[in-house]
């Protein structure tokens, strides 16, 4: 960062004072807590986290120094303030994937292309983005989630939010920006899946790994099925009796 863009010493000092003020407010809110989900405590917590993060950034930019505090992410939802008896709901889902095996992905797309007369222009399966378009156009997201390895994909984080609404949206109302106006205070429930959670149990798994090592062969590898054979089986699964690709049916 250039000297012109660096914060001044006064700005860093002001940020430090803001942290002190936020600490006092947080403690006062905790002392007056009215219950486990007191919104005042939640708000004071967020203000303290924001003030500490701002101070940490300014301190680093000005003095190349950091604080010993870890600013936690928002892993909990705010208190629910939606309707007690929702008449409508929205289910928001995000699933991340890495393209681990592009050749497998495109091979599956070629099978769809060969079996579907209405598939996009010839050669769409020859690129990764074209193959993704073919597969996600042919299969439902839940089926791709359950068969992602067959499509050469590797799972990343995923989350599902169920939000309450007073009434159903008009047809086409939110299609241009489906996730733009999500109110966390109307989330009825939320389910997260991430490798981050697995790391918490890594230390406890060391003993189990040692036991598994005892069952490995002389070359240090456990007996595993032939992956090439499985791949061939996956790609041939939908062939008919004559060896031709069976037609894949889709609702879309």
């Amino acid at each position: 960062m250039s000297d012109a863009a660096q914060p001044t010493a006064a700005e860093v000092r002001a940020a430090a004072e803001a942290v002190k003020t936020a600490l006092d407010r947080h403690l006062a809110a905790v002392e007056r807590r009215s219950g486990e989900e007191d919104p005042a405590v939640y708000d004071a917590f967020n203000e303290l986290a924001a003030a500490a993060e701002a101070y940490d950034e300014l301190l680093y930019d000005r003095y190349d120094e950091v604080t010993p505090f870890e600013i936690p992410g928002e892993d909990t939802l705010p208190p629910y303030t939606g309707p007690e008896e929702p008449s409508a709901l929205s289910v928001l889902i995000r699933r991340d994937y890495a393209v681990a095996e592009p050749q497998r992905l495109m091979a599956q797309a070629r099978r769809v292309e060969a079996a579907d007369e209405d598939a996009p222009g010839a050669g769409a399966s020859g690129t990764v983005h074209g193959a993704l378009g073919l597969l996600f156009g042919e299969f439902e997201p839940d089926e791709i989630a359950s068969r992602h390895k067959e499509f050469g994909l590797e799972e990343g984080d995923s989350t599902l939010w169920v939000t309450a609404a007073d009434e159903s949206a008009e047809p086409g109302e939110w299609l241009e920006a489906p996730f733009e106006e999500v109110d966390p205070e109307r989330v009825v429930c939320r389910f997260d899946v991430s490798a981050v959670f697995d790391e918490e149990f890594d230390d406890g798994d060391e003993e189990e790994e040692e036991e598994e090592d005892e069952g490995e062969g002389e070359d240090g590898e456990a007996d595993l099925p032939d992956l090439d054979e499985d791949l061939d089986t996956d790609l041939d699964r939908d062939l008919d009796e004559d060896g031709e690709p069976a037609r894949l049916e889709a609702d879309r």
Side-chain angles (χ1 to χ4, degrees):
M1 180 178 290
S2 66
D3 293 339
Q6 285 185 342
T8 65
E11 289 175 325
V12 179
R13 173 62 62 182
E17 293 299 326
V19 173
K20 297 175 186 178
T21 300
L23 274 170
D24 290 337
R25 289 177 178 172
H26 182 258
L27 177 58
V30 171
E31 291 173 338
R32 296 193 302 268
R33 183 198 302 269
S34 60
E36 290 186 2
E37 297 185 354
D38 190 332
V41 175
Y42 177 83
D43 291 341
F45 174 89
N46 284 338
E47 290 175 7
L48 176 57
E53 185 173 10
Y55 171 62
D56 189 85
E57 291 179 357
L58 291 173
L59 186 69
Y60 181 79
D61 291 343
R62 176 67 185 182
Y63 300 110
D64 196 25
E65 188 58 71
V66 296
T67 66
F69 311 118
E70 179 180 355
I71 309 302
E74 292 189 19
D75 56 357
T76 59
L77 292 170
Y80 176 75
T81 61
E84 290 298 323
E85 298 182 4
S87 58
L89 59 88
S90 294
V91 179
L92 310 175
I93 302 175
R94 171 173 172 170
R95 297 187 180 111
D96 282 7
Y97 298 96
V99 180
E101 299 179 74
Q103 296 304 319
R104 180 188 285 264
L105 174 75
M106 291 187 286
Q108 289 281 20
R110 283 194 295 271
R111 294 173 62 246
V112 173
E113 206 169 39
D116 190 350
E117 297 176 356
D118 297 326
S125 62
T127 64
V128 171
H129 72 273
L132 288 170
L134 281 168
L135 292 175
F136 277 86
E138 181 70 23
F139 300 101
E140 293 293 334
D142 286 344
E143 183 171 3
I144 289 180
S146 65
R147 299 175 56 188
H148 63 277
K149 292 183 178 179
E150 295 179 35
F151 301 135
L153 302 175
E154 182 178 305
E155 284 184 315
D157 288 357
S158 66
T159 187
L160 181 150
W161 293 24
V162 179
T163 64
D166 297 308
E167 58 184 18
S168 298
E170 294 294 327
E173 180 179 348
W174 48 259
L175 293 180
E176 292 299 321
F179 308 113
E180 192 172 66
E181 299 181 359
V182 180
D183 185 354
E185 295 187 352
R186 284 182 170 245
V187 175
V188 177
C189 56
R190 170 178 171 176
F191 305 96
D192 297 327
V193 177
S194 174
V196 171
F197 305 135
D198 297 336
E199 293 174 0
E200 299 175 2
F201 303 100
D202 284 349
D203 293 340
D205 292 341
E206 292 180 358
E207 184 174 336
E208 295 181 7
E209 292 177 358
E210 291 178 358
E211 294 177 357
E212 292 175 358
D213 290 343
E214 294 177 0
E216 294 178 351
E218 294 180 359
D219 57 356
E221 296 183 358
D223 294 333
L224 296 175
D226 190 333
L227 297 181
D228 293 335
E229 181 179 343
D230 288 347
L231 176 57
D232 293 339
T233 300
D234 290 340
L235 297 181
D236 293 339
R237 186 168 63 183
D238 291 336
L239 295 180
D240 59 20
E241 295 179 356
D242 298 326
E244 296 296 328
R247 176 164 185 81
L248 302 177
E249 298 182 357
D251 295 333
R252 293 184 261 175

